[in-house]
Amino acid sequence: MSAIELVERASLADVAAEDWNALAPADFPFTDYEFLRALELAGCVGEATAWRPRHLLAYRAGALAGATPYYHKLDSYGEYVFDHEWAAAYQRAGLSYYPKGLSAAPFTPANGDRLLTRADDPDAAALQNALAAALQTRAAAEGLSSVHCLFHSVADRDAFANAGYLERVSIQYHWENRGYATFEDFLADLRSQKRKQIKKERRAAAEHGLRIELLTGDAIQPEHMEAMFAFYMDTGSRKWGRPYLNREWFRVIHALFRERIVLLLAFDGDRPVAGTLNFRKGRRLFGRYWGAAADYSCLHFELCYYRLIEYAIQEGIELFEAGAQGEHKFLRGFAARPCYSSHWIVDPAGRAAIARFLDSERAYMSQAVLDYNEQSPLKPLRSGGVEITLQTASEDHGG
């Protein structure tokens, strides 16, 4: 492989969109140039925030051959892989946990590649190894406590393992298309009790008499995004107190990235009263934000799950990730799946303590994935059941 030049950039304004997107995964939208740049343009990340871009680029023979979205992080908010206890332990020991290094799609607990290379690059593995190692070298040189790569794909695991990162396993609930032609096919794949529950919930949502519209691309108008922003702010203020995104982000993401947006809005007459903002790329669909102007029984399930499952089936989408947490998804036909993050701790004592914790947590999470799927409301596949292991469960949709 030719020599690699590693360069750090404090903004994607210094990178050509076409060069960055040539490295982007085919089925994952949240490392696309437009998504990350919208966060910068709206001021959701930047030097005035706790997310300070330091994107790492790998050039080979003068051309961009690899990259990772990367930030210096001053807190742990908006990450969804919780390390507050690690930070507290550092404070008790008289050490500083912040700033730390973070490779992630900000505010987005979706699973996909973080070590970006061209799909057809014969040196992709070597580039990924170089990027993973460079994050460590830079963290030590810049006085950071650690480097964290969150919700990365199975494809990234080898590079982080080769560089000595510690692996962490968490659980999400994903809907997987098992060859359904209609929503009724999906219902028929569920055990009787859950099938009846979903039908009951859909009837309850319909009884509100709301008109529900699914909008994509140029059909999405600025006023639709303004309504979605209001719903997002209401949900954020009730659930976590400090919403991460602002009105400008909703404007910019609509301007730059609406070809990837799937927007569901519920109308009472001409007035939007609830909505969910989602993103689609290739064979994958991702649920992100939900909100409503009032409490409508079962409307959350209808907009966030059932209408999107219908859309996924119609569009031939293979995987629908509806966001982090939420065992209620599992009860509605979403399978428990492992998610991966990797962590490099600079301080040897801190690294040893966190490694012991992760060893124990990994064993628990491994068993939890198996236990959940043994109780799945989905019927076993005709081949005799769904065999689940920590690796193969994610390899099907590794990004």
Side-chain angles (χ1 to χ4, degrees):
M1 184 176 69
S2 303
I4 298 173
E5 179 189 8
L6 293 167
V7 178
E8 186 178 277
R9 291 286 182 259
S11 171
L12 284 181
D14 300 323
V15 184
E18 59 270 24
D19 292 344
W20 181 279
N21 282 340
L23 311 176
D27 292 337
F28 187 73
F30 301 117
T31 49
D32 281 10
Y33 181 95
E34 292 81 4
F35 181 83
L36 297 172
R37 183 67 178 135
L39 292 167
E40 295 179 4
L41 289 170
C44 299
V45 303
E47 297 305 307
T49 77
W51 295 76
R52 300 185 175 180
R54 300 291 187 271
H55 304 304
L56 186 61
L57 313 177
Y59 286 89
R60 183 179 58 203
L64 185 62
T68 184
Y70 182 62
Y71 301 84
H72 284 184
K73 195 68 167 43
L74 305 187
D75 60 25
S76 294
Y77 293 102
E79 298 176 22
Y80 300 92
V81 175
F82 303 113
D83 62 351
H84 296 93
E85 284 299 318
W86 301 359
Y90 262 62
Q91 185 178 31
R92 290 193 296 269
L95 301 173
S96 296
Y97 191 67
Y98 307 109
K100 62 181 183 177
L102 183 71
S103 178
F107 322 119
T108 308
N111 300 275
D113 294 347
R114 300 292 178 262
L115 303 174
L116 309 182
T117 61
R118 292 178 183 268
D120 59 354
D121 192 326
D123 295 322
L127 282 165
Q128 290 165 350
N129 287 338
L131 288 167
L135 293 176
Q136 296 172 331
T137 302
R138 288 173 178 269
E142 293 167 345
L144 306 183
S145 71
S146 50
V147 176
H148 310 262
C149 184
L150 309 184
F151 297 103
H152 63 70
S153 67
V154 169
D156 287 338
R157 291 176 75 194
D158 285 346
F160 288 116
N162 292 340
Y165 285 70
L166 306 173
E167 185 171 84
R168 190 173 193 181
V169 178
S170 55
I171 297 176
Q172 286 186 359
Y173 306 96
H174 299 166
W175 180 87
E176 296 166 355
N177 192 335
R178 306 208 295 184
Y180 308 125
T182 66
F183 191 84
E184 287 300 317
D185 290 345
F186 164 62
L187 289 180
D189 211 12
L190 295 168
R191 301 185 193 278
S192 174
Q193 181 181 3
K194 297 304 178 185
R195 184 164 61 247
K196 292 177 181 177
Q197 177 184 344
I198 289 175
K199 289 181 177 180
K200 181 179 179 181
E201 289 171 348
R202 300 205 78 180
R203 288 194 299 270
E207 287 172 358
H208 299 299
L210 304 175
R211 184 180 85 258
I212 297 175
E213 292 187 11
L214 187 148
L215 304 168
T216 61
D218 289 341
I220 303 170
Q221 298 300 307
E223 58 267 27
H224 297 144
M225 295 300 285
E226 181 67 22
M228 191 64 232
F229 169 69
F231 302 144
Y232 166 80
M233 290 297 292
D234 179 71
T235 299
S237 63
R238 285 187 289 106
K239 289 184 67 174
W240 59 80
R242 189 178 65 179
Y244 302 126
L245 304 175
N246 55 28
R247 175 180 273 109
E248 181 66 5
W249 181 84
F250 281 78
R251 187 192 69 80
V252 174
I253 202 69
H254 175 256
L256 296 183
F257 210 47
R258 61 178 172 269
E259 73 274 11
R260 302 278 187 225
I261 295 175
V262 178
L263 183 66
L264 270 169
L265 291 175
F267 292 84
D268 184 354
D270 293 329
R271 182 173 67 95
V273 295
T276 177
L277 179 64
N278 315 275
F279 292 85
R280 181 231 176 131
K281 189 177 182 183
R283 301 166 299 167
R284 299 173 71 187
L285 176 66
F286 301 85
R288 293 304 303 125
Y289 305 113
W290 143 266
D295 183 16
Y296 295 93
S297 173
C298 295
L299 187 60
H300 172 266
F301 299 137
E302 181 69 14
L303 292 187
C304 294
Y305 307 141
Y306 306 142
R307 291 288 176 128
L308 290 169
I309 288 172
E310 284 184 333
Y311 171 78
I313 293 170
Q314 291 166 5
E315 293 290 312
I317 288 169
E318 296 180 0
L319 177 68
F320 169 33
E321 292 188 23
Q325 305 170 347
E327 292 185 5
H328 53 279
K329 299 168 191 161
F330 175 77
L331 298 175
R332 289 165 176 83
F334 288 65
R337 292 293 182 251
C339 303
Y340 300 99
S341 60
S342 292
H343 309 266
W344 171 256
I345 313 300
V346 173
D347 180 78
R351 176 178 172 81
I354 289 171
R356 289 192 296 271
F357 167 77
L358 290 179
D359 285 345
S360 174
E361 185 187 53
R362 244 186 339 267
Y364 170 80
M365 290 295 182
S366 301
Q367 189 60 49
V369 170
L370 295 172
D371 290 345
Y372 269 116
N373 289 299
E374 285 179 358
Q375 304 300 319
S376 174
L378 287 165
K379 296 175 183 176
L381 292 174
R382 291 175 184 172
S383 60
V386 182
E387 183 178 347
I388 307 243
T389 69
L390 277 179
Q391 179 141 344
T392 58
S394 284
E395 280 180 333
D396 294 340
H397 306 287

